Amino acid sequence: MPFYLGLDFGTSGARAIAIDEDKIPCWEGRVDFTICSHTTTMWREALFALLAQIPQAMRREMRAIAIDGTSSTVLLCDDRGEAIAEPLLYNDARGGEVEEEICAISPPDSVVRSATSSLAKLLWWEKYGFCDRAAYFLHQADWLGFQLHGQLGISDYHNGLKLGYDVERLCYPDWLTQLSLQRLYPRIVAPGTPVGEMQPHLCDRFDFPRDCVICAGTTDSIAAFLASGATQPGEGVTSLGSTLVLKLLSATRVEEARSGIYSHRLGDLWLAGGASNTGGAVLRHFFGDEELQRLSSQIEGDRESPLQYYPLLTVGERFPISDSHLAPQLEPRPENPVAFLHGLLEGIARIEGMGYQRLQDLGATALKRVYTAGGGAKNPQWETIRHRHLRVPMAASQCLEAAFGTALLAQGFPLP
């Protein structure tokens, strides 16, 4: 029986899911990162540890592998693929030093106009002389794929979006090719494109077949969308993790930098969305996991909380309001912890509703259904509160693991 492997590299660890030809998950594995700072050595060790965990009989029947990584986690490599500096993670904002330069050369609503964009990180490296010694600029998923197929300088258009790649015309725009750094840009292909077979020495080491194909990857959020089961325009996916991430499948592309909104290409459709700084991290700042479960069970979700919170931990918001000076609104705080939690959940649900409404105001396909992923998907009271704000049918994602979506990509998941 043939199997297909999806690998998901996140902030705290890496996960793997193998599926069969009927798209049924047959095996799952994970490796937790033991240190906070990411290194390519840690990534490589995690990758090979996951491959070693797969049952040998399954490895021998593996047909294809795809990898997702966190969006805008990037690195510079020499001509052998070795990093010349430590990777910069998705949330590294040192690129803020070159934001004025980026705004001077990029279109007004370009997603690269952010301190954390891939392009901002590349220009920061150039500012401090790192690029002089580099041969390739790669995203996390690109570099991990290279470890398996051995071909440098290849990326996908999901990862390439925040570098400035034109995902509508499928090329680098003129304003980007005019930069002296264009020699470092990866060649862009569609996510899931077969790149090459696994290197022979790895096939021998892990007992994979010589014709096991390594495919171009994607980002973790796109993989989570693919895992949800959403396939039709008007279907959205809300990820209730540490932050609140919305994705809406749309027939039209929408962009608005001041609201933190951009669109990924998904075949012939568009995946519009944004990420708010609110979410589970705010809840866990005030409550432990046991408290959240116990107090949530006492909330009457069909009744609106009178508290008008905008739950943030620090000043600044990305979406649906893009305002680096937006202050958290967490007052007044009632003595009853159930009422306080109710207000927080209500506030996050209100932001979710605002987010989907803003996407539709810009011209995205009208919201018809919402799938939910992330830890918050297991809270029934929160779902009731969210349903009041969204007023569309809601469902749990088909699978809560992004690695499942990446496995579907490896199998040849047909993008719309």
Side-chain angles (χ1 to χ4, degrees), residues 240-258:
L240 298 174
S242 298
T243 58
L244 175 72
V245 181
L246 309 185
K247 300 284 186 185
L248 175 59
L249 195 58
S250 173
T252 55
R253 182 183 186 182
V254 297
E255 311 274 337
E256 188 178 59
R258 64 186 177 87

Side-chain angles (χ1 to χ4, degrees), residues 201-218:
H201 74 277
L202 294 178
C203 293
D204 295 340
R205 175 179 173 182
F206 294 106
D207 208 12
F208 281 85
R210 291 295 180 101
D211 61 354
C212 179
V213 173
I214 313 304
C215 301
T218 183

Side-chain angles (χ1 to χ4, degrees), residues 150-211:
Q151 299 186 43
L152 277 165
I154 300 174
S155 187
D156 63 90
Y157 60 61
H158 290 159
N159 276 292
L161 179 70
K162 293 182 182 179
L163 176 57
Y165 185 76
D166 187 333
V167 294
E168 191 156 12
R169 297 171 56 225
L170 296 178
C171 63
Y172 284 108
D174 291 343
W175 65 266
L176 199 57
T177 58
Q178 291 171 5
L179 300 182
S180 61
L181 295 172
Q182 66 168 314
R183 66 181 181 84
L184 302 178
Y185 302 162
R187 177 169 66 89
I188 304 292
V189 299
T193 299
V195 175
E197 296 177 346
M198 182 178 283
Q199 297 186 77
H201 74 277
L202 294 178
C203 293
D204 295 340
R205 175 179 173 182
F206 294 106
D207 208 12
F208 281 85
R210 291 295 180 101
D211 61 354

Side-chain angles (χ1 to χ4, degrees), residues 312-326:
L312 300 171
L313 287 181
T314 59
V315 172
E317 174 63 307
R318 298 176 291 170
F319 166 81
I321 302 167
S322 183
D323 182 355
S324 60
H325 303 293
L326 186 68

